[in-house]
Structure formats: structure tokens, C-alpha cells
Amino acid sequence: MTEETNMPTPTPTPTPTPISIRVARTLHDLTDVIAVRSIVYVEEQHCPLHEEFDGNDVAGSTHLLATLDEEAAGVLRIRWFADFAKVERVAVRRRYRGGMVSKALLQSAFSLAEDKGYRRMLLHIEPSLVEYYLRHGFQPRAGRPRFHYSDREYMEVIKELMPASDAISMDSPALCVVRPEGAWREAGVLDLSSARGIAQRGGVCDEVCKDAQGRSGIGEEARE
């Protein structure tokens, strides 16, 4: 017979809320990106609004959004150059700080760049953060001077990447290249549309095509 005791039942350890990272693809996502950066950089760090939103947010940039229970927690921006990717605007809301959100954002940025075939990633950081970024594989760029903008001093750090064996290239399947950013291994909306086959042209479509050919100087003989 087991003796009963009055020992309290242990309180179960709460399961940490998983961090979800996604590419910002909708206006709602971009609104969250703007909100987080406005809180962190404009409000907390007193960066002028027109300097924080510097003209690079909708011109060839990819934004990553970190959420916990669908609440926007952190963001990161990547810009793509010929032979390197540049991480920028890493921002985490105060209540979610501690390193895990920024780590998840950086890891996702590394994977995304490697999927695109990039071998190097550049980042401008404040010198006080160098130890943190060293832990994530970045190294200071030798021979490069420190510089400043928006009232803060910065230095350059760089990370060597390992492109994925199936990185996106001109030889990737055609439908793979037109899939949403960062989701190249998943069937997208255009994959699904391909099941409809080729539509028969007629009516308005034929008139539009003929008009376009006429304005471009392309005639039937040029297409034969």
C-alpha cells in the first residue's frame, strides 16, 4: 500500500513559445516591419524617421519578420548585391530581447542567402556589439575604417557563407524561379495555375497581342 503524502504537485515548466520567421510578403507583414523598426529605432534610439526609412525598403530588399504567437517580435532587412548580401535593420522589441529572436532572424537570413547562392554577407554594426556578432560567425573586415551615420559609429563585419547544393540558379526548374521569395522548394500559386494548361487566345486577348506587336514593330514575319 502506497502512503499518501501532502507533497505539492510540481508545477510543470511552461513550454517556450516557438519563434516563427517568415519573409514579409503582404502589406500586413510590411506594416509590422515598419511598426517594429519605428518602436526600436525611431522611438527608442531617436533615429530620424526619414533616415530609418531610407528609400531601400521597397527597392530590391527582403524583409524577415519574427513572430511569437503571431505577435511581431523582431525584423531584419537583407539587400542583395552582385557578390554579397547585406544584413541591415535588425530590430527586436524590448519585451522579446535576450538573444533568441535576433539569433533566429540571423540564422534565417544565412539560410536564405545560401539558398540564393551567396558566399558572403556584410553587416554594419556598432562596435559595442562585435562580441555578439563574433558568436554568429562574423569577423571584422581588416583594413576598413570605422564610419558614422545617423549619429552613431559603425564598423564592418563579414561572414563567409556556404551556398546550398541546390541553390537557385539559371538552371533551376523554371517554375522554381517564379515561386515566392524564400519558398523555392514549395509549390507556389503559379505551380497550381500550370495544371490548367494553356488557354486558347481569342477576342480581347488577340486584339491586345496584335496591338502590342504593332507598337513594338514585331509582325508575323518577324515571329516566323
Side-chain angles (χ1 to χ4, degrees), residues 172-192:
S172 298
L175 285 174
C176 180
V177 179
V178 298
R179 290 170 183 163
E181 179 81 352
W184 301 291
R185 296 179 179 85
E186 306 167 16
V189 63
L190 297 183
D191 291 80
L192 300 177

Side-chain angles (χ1 to χ4, degrees), residues 118-132:
Y118 282 87
R119 297 181 178 276
R120 293 186 298 173
M121 181 166 279
L122 177 68
L123 179 60
H124 295 167
I125 66 168
E126 293 185 57
S128 61
L129 298 174
V130 68
E131 291 299 326
Y132 176 78

Side-chain angles (χ1 to χ4, degrees), residues 1 8 13 17 25 28 31 49 84 93 101 104 108 118 122 124 156 172-173 179 181 189 191 205-206 209 224:
M1 178 172 156
T13 302
T17 302
R25 299 193 184 102
H28 184 276
T31 299
L49 187 67
F84 69 95
R93 291 169 61 189
V101 173
S108 293
Y118 282 87
L122 177 68
H124 295 167
E156 292 181 335
S172 298
R179 290 170 183 163
E181 179 81 352
V189 63
D191 291 80
C205 180
D206 269 347
C209 291
E224 293 177 352

Side-chain angles (χ1 to χ4, degrees), residues 19 21 64 66 99-109 132 136:
I19 301 168
I21 308 290
L64 298 183
M100 296 307 296
V101 173
S102 57
K103 177 181 178 180
L105 283 165
L106 286 170
Q107 292 297 329
S108 293
Y132 176 78
H136 290 286

